[in-house]
Amino acid sequence: MIKNPTINKSKCDGCHKNLLTHNKIMICQTCNKIVHAKCSLNDFEYNQTADCWQCSTCYSNSEPKYNPFSSISYNRHDPVHLEEFEDIIEIRKILDSCKTYDATTFKNLIDLHDHQGNNPSAIFNNIDGNATNFDSFVTEITQYKHSFSFIGLAETNIDPDLKGLYKIPGYSSEYNSKMA
């Protein structure tokens, strides 16, 4: 006797109705949640930092990090530019692993620095907009061949929700809103 195959129908995580082959769907690129395209209007957002669509849960749990290399894609079968892309991937990993510290931890790091007998150094820049000037500033300070103890940036013109987006490799950050 031949048995009829069982059909495993997926359910929409939004309305809990069946997902049919002719339905337009949206998939969270973080947790793989699947919903009808119409249901995604209420539950999905485009994460520009991660360069992907995410459900509202994954979007709210993602910490924004500034990484200009996160959306660069390449053909890994192209041997001509492979070395350049390997460098970009390494830079992307470094920027993704940056740490942030709260004000208390930052103060403790300053105290530790002072107790080690190092002479602190600082640089301050009125950057007038991180979105347009941040990459240039980071490039310029790397040319000094000096690791500053502190870097201060004013007039970053960024939304407080994006305070963790702009990171300088080797430094922790503390954001103070002008509204505070």
Side-chain angles (χ1 to χ4, degrees):
M1 175 186 277
I2 299 174
K3 293 184 178 179
N4 289 332
T6 56
I7 299 172
N8 186 8
K9 293 186 178 181
S10 295
K11 299 274 187 187
C12 170
D13 287 322
C15 67
H16 305 290
K17 295 181 182 176
N18 288 334
L19 292 167
L20 306 174
T21 55
H22 68 277
N23 293 143
K24 293 180 182 177
I25 62 169
M26 178 70 83
I27 301 173
C28 174
Q29 293 175 312
T30 303
C31 72
N32 295 322
K33 177 180 181 178
I34 302 173
V35 298
H36 292 107
K38 289 181 182 177
C39 297
S40 73
L41 297 173
N42 300 325
D43 191 39
F44 274 68
E45 295 189 50
Y46 184 73
N47 185 333
Q48 291 185 355
T49 306
D51 193 30
C52 68
W53 285 96
Q54 294 179 316
C55 66
S56 58
T57 302
C58 292
Y59 184 83
S60 64
N61 290 335
S62 64
E63 181 182 329
K65 289 186 174 184
Y66 176 74
N67 189 341
F69 302 103
S70 62
S71 62
I72 295 175
S73 60
Y74 65 96
N75 179 354
R76 66 176 171 227
H77 304 291
D78 177 8
V80 175
H81 297 101
L82 185 59
E83 189 174 306
E84 293 171 11
F85 291 120
E86 288 173 349
D87 291 343
I88 290 172
I89 290 169
E90 184 64 25
I91 293 169
R92 180 190 306 173
K93 289 178 185 176
I94 291 168
L95 291 174
D96 284 339
S97 66
C98 290
K99 297 179 187 176
T100 58
Y101 297 98
D102 60 28
T104 304
T105 305
F106 185 68
K107 183 182 180 320
N108 291 339
L109 289 172
I110 294 169
D111 292 342
L112 177 66
H113 185 81
D114 289 341
H115 291 302
Q116 291 176 342
N118 298 328
N119 293 323
S121 62
I123 185 170
F124 177 84
N125 188 353
N126 185 338
I127 199 161
D128 194 27
N130 271 0
T132 54
N133 299 318
F134 186 78
D135 289 340
S136 298
F137 174 75
V138 172
T139 301
E140 288 174 21
I141 64 168
T142 57
Q143 294 175 2
Y144 292 128
K145 306 288 187 229
H146 175 74
S147 182
F148 292 96
S149 306
F150 308 100
I151 297 175
L153 300 175
E155 294 190 20
T156 58
N157 301 331
I158 59 171
D159 188 290
D161 294 336
L162 300 176
K163 65 185 178 186
L165 189 60
Y166 297 93
K167 302 289 184 177
I168 300 174
Y171 290 88
S172 56
S173 65
E174 177 64 26
Y175 177 83
N176 292 306
S177 173
K178 64 182 176 183
M179 304 304 282

